[in-house]
């Protein structure tokens, strides 16, 4: 996930939280990793250039009245993979990973509702996300290979995959979670945040409340990864950041500017009751014969793993095999893209059948 704004209230008892927040108490290489480039693209290796040169089929699938952005690689008739990004991200987070999987699979990356070029909703529900994933899978031919698709989700997207695997096991062949944790803001934290936002609403600054930037370079200078982390692969961060922006009119009417694509009220509009009910055991789990095979890939430097090592409980522990990606923080596809591809290729060639 990536973003540049909003305060983060303290919320006790959260295993993991990838909400955007604003902090100046970060080193410059974490707070504004792209600022030194002043809008120029960082140099990138040939493998990356070759991967992103493989343009996907771009389109939309409608679910619950919302148009959902979809990017698809690979031939119809091959086994299907559905890739789901993290919070405040978009389908192009997979655009340098998916082409490297498309030789053997029909691969679709979707932008979740409220993110990327997908429509926003008045309320976001985990049940709707599960329906969206099924609609996208069918709408982009992921069933045409003769079996149900495998879902792969990173971070918040991994949470959607886990929910769908537990509540809609009939929709998928298997599930891979990539550095996925659970948490998010409890009701009291949301209330505190609402009060804080009311207090700062009328404080004039260069980019609040509209967060519209006059140039792409100005917007890129404010891009950062959330949760905060360093990264050596700035060419990937730049690629993702540029595709996180859309043009909108400047607030003062002076012309067109740039802002982030995602719905800034996503967390306030997220109904977490279905996920909470499932995690706390209030909702029944699928019978053993119907259970979806699941694997968790995680970065060895991830905040999720740090929290678990500190003794915080994990919903995933004991439910599935877990595989560590060395020298990686939370954003595994940025830190270790080729190691992630190698892990996925090996896993998908030998598992779950």
């Amino acid at each position: 996930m990536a973003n540049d704004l909003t305060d983060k209230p303290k919320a006790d008892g959260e295993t993991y939280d990838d909400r955007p927040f604003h902090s100046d108490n970060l080193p410059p290489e974490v707070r504004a990793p792209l600022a030194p480039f002043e809008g120029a693209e960082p140099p990138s290796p040939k493998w990356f250039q070759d991967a992103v040169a493989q343009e996907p089929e771009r389109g939309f699938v409608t679910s619950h009245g919302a148009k959902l952005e979809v990017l698809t690689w690979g031939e119809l008739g091959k086994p299907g993979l559905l890739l789901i990004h993290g919070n405040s991200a978009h389908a192009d987070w997979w655009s340098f990973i998916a082409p490297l999987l498309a030789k053997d699979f029909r691969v679709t990356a979707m932008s979740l509702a409220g993110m990327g070029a997908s429509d926003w909703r008045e309320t976001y529900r985990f049940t709707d996300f599960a329906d969206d994933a099924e609609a996208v899978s069918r709408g982009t031919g992921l069933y045409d290979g003769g079996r149900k698709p495998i879902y792969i989700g990173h971070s918040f997207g991994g949470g959607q995959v886990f929910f769908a695997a537990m509540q809609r096991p009939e929709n998928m062949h298997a599930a891979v979670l990539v550095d996925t944790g659970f948490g998010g803001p409890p009701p009291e934290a949301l209330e505190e945040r609402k009060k804080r936002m009311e207090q700062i609403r009328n404080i004039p600054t260069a980019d609040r409340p509209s967060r519209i930037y006059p140039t792409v370079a100005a917007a890129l200078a404010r891009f950062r990864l959330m949760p905060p982390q360093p990264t050596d692969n700035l060419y990937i961060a730049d690629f993702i950041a540029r595709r996180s922006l859309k043009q909108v009119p400047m607030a003062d009417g002076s012309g067109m500017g740039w802002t982030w694509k995602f719905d800034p009220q996503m967390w306030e509009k997220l109904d977490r009751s279905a996920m909470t009910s499932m995690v706390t055991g209030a909702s029944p789990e699928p019978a053993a014969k119907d259970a979806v095979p699941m694997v968790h890939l995680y970065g060895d430097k991830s905040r999720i793993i740090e929290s678990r090592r500190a003794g915080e409980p994990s919903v995933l522990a004991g439910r599935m095999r877990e595989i560590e990606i060395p020298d990686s923080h939370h954003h595994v596809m940025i830190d270790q893209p080729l190691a992630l591809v190698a892990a996925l290729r090996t896993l998908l060639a030998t598992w779950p059948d």
Side-chain angles (χ1 to χ4, degrees):
M1 191 213 83
N3 187 16
D4 71 333
L5 188 67
T6 65
D7 293 332
K8 178 181 180 182
K10 184 178 185 297
D12 294 333
E14 298 182 42
T15 301
Y16 174 67
D17 178 13
D18 66 353
R19 283 169 296 152
F21 69 93
H22 178 78
S23 174
D24 292 320
N25 299 319
L26 296 170
E29 66 272 16
V30 175
R31 185 177 68 249
L34 300 178
F37 296 94
E38 299 181 338
E41 294 185 19
S44 59
K46 189 175 186 302
W47 77 263
F48 179 82
Q49 297 171 23
D50 291 344
V52 299
Q54 300 180 50
E55 278 289 332
E57 305 166 27
R58 292 181 179 266
F60 291 87
V61 170
T62 299
S63 175
H64 289 295
K67 290 174 59 179
L68 305 173
E69 180 184 29
V70 294
L71 284 60
T72 308
W73 298 258
E75 298 174 8
L76 284 167
K78 291 183 176 180
L81 298 180
L82 179 64
L83 309 181
I84 305 177
H85 59 77
N87 186 34
S88 302
H90 49 79
D92 271 302
W93 275 66
W94 296 102
S95 283
F96 47 94
I97 300 293
L100 303 180
L101 302 173
K103 178 181 177 182
D104 299 313
F105 297 93
R106 172 77 169 173
V107 186
T108 295
M110 65 179 291
S111 289
L112 295 169
M115 307 181 211
S118 294
D119 287 344
W120 297 4
R121 287 176 170 148
E122 288 302 313
T123 303
Y124 300 98
R125 299 180 179 89
F126 283 83
T127 51
D128 290 346
F129 286 133
D131 291 343
D132 295 346
E134 170 69 359
V136 166
S137 295
R138 293 196 177 276
T140 59
L142 299 190
Y143 278 87
D144 290 8
R147 76 175 192 195
K148 295 177 287 186
I150 294 176
Y151 286 23
I152 302 174
H154 172 244
S155 189
F156 180 76
Q160 311 308 321
V161 170
F162 181 74
F163 179 86
M166 299 296 290
Q167 299 298 311
R168 311 282 176 81
E170 68 277 8
N171 290 351
M172 69 185 78
H173 183 62
V176 180
L177 313 184
V178 181
D179 217 79
T180 296
F182 296 86
E188 62 271 18
L190 285 177
E191 188 61 32
E192 179 183 344
R193 182 179 176 190
K194 287 179 181 178
K195 291 179 181 178
R196 190 171 304 182
M197 291 302 293
E198 286 296 327
Q199 292 171 353
I200 68 173
R201 189 179 303 278
N202 296 318
I203 300 176
T205 66
D207 54 7
R208 183 186 290 132
S210 61
R211 293 174 291 171
I212 300 174
Y213 305 93
T215 65
V216 170
L220 293 178
R222 292 295 301 273
F223 180 87
R224 70 187 66 176
L225 296 170
M226 293 295 162
Q229 65 161 80
T231 182
D232 293 330
N233 295 331
L234 295 175
Y235 60 94
I236 298 181
D238 179 87
F239 176 90
I240 288 168
R242 291 177 188 275
R243 288 154 183 79
S244 301
L245 294 166
K246 63 181 179 180
Q247 276 199 296
V248 294
M250 294 292 292
D252 60 4
S254 61
M256 299 297 290
W258 299 85
T259 192
W260 309 109
K261 291 179 178 178
F262 63 85
D263 183 349
Q265 300 301 312
M266 169 72 190
W267 275 108
E268 284 78 0
K269 294 158 72 173
L270 179 62
D271 179 354
R272 300 173 70 247
S273 58
M275 175 65 91
T276 300
S277 177
M278 186 188 73
V279 170
T280 57
S283 298
E285 295 189 8
K289 66 180 179 63
D290 299 321
V292 172
M294 287 189 274
V295 167
H296 184 213
L297 307 178
Y298 65 89
D300 65 339
K301 299 179 181 178
S302 169
R303 282 179 57 186
I304 295 171
I305 300 307
E306 289 177 358
S307 297
R308 287 172 58 174
R309 287 170 179 160
E312 291 189 14
S314 169
V315 174
L316 305 183
R319 290 181 180 269
M320 64 193 72
R321 179 181 301 172
E322 298 190 277
I323 300 172
E324 182 177 278
I325 305 295
D327 197 26
S328 179
H329 294 270
H330 173 62
H331 300 94
V332 181
M333 67 274 286
I334 298 179
D335 295 333
Q336 295 293 341
L338 295 181
L340 176 60
V341 169
L344 288 172
R345 282 177 170 175
T346 303
L347 186 63
L348 296 173
T350 59
W351 170 91
D353 296 326

